[in-house]
Amino acid sequence: MKYIGAVQAVVTADLSDREPTAAELDAIEQEMPVILAGVELLDAQINILDRAPNELDTRRVRRARRRVLTARRELANRSITFAEVGA
């Protein structure tokens, strides 16, 4: 019995082996402010993991959380606007 999987690359191609499409890249670019705000929040939280947070640390985490929420709100509002225009 012969296995065709090793012979035909198209049959065995994995989805992770392909390049992102233009639509996927556009979606990532639209979500980039949310991603960057999330990274900033994680950075602030990591900084206070091994020590007691002081006043500045607390403010930094609070500001980062607000940035995440603001970025998510703006993305959601932009998505709603695009949906209304397309409808």
Side-chain angles (χ1 to χ4, degrees):
M1 176 188 269
K2 290 186 177 183
Y3 293 100
I4 62 168
V7 177
Q8 296 179 355
V10 177
V11 175
T12 60
D14 190 12
L15 289 178
S16 64
D17 291 340
R18 66 178 178 79
E19 295 291 323
T21 64
E24 291 170 336
L25 290 174
D26 288 340
I28 291 170
E29 188 168 334
Q30 292 291 322
E31 294 176 9
M32 191 54 69
V34 176
I35 295 167
L36 293 176
V39 168
E40 185 178 339
L41 176 60
L42 281 174
D43 186 44
Q45 291 172 334
I46 288 170
N47 281 334
I48 62 173
L49 280 177
D50 60 346
R51 60 185 167 88
N54 58 25
E55 180 67 26
L56 292 176
D57 293 331
T58 305
R59 280 193 245 163
R60 184 175 179 214
V61 170
R62 201 171 33 230
R63 274 194 311 263
R65 282 187 182 138
R66 283 196 305 260
R67 285 188 187 117
V68 168
L69 292 175
T70 300
R72 286 181 181 173
R73 182 188 66 224
E74 289 173 0
L75 180 64
N77 288 341
R78 200 175 319 131
S79 299
I80 290 171
T81 303
F82 287 141
E84 289 174 356
V85 170

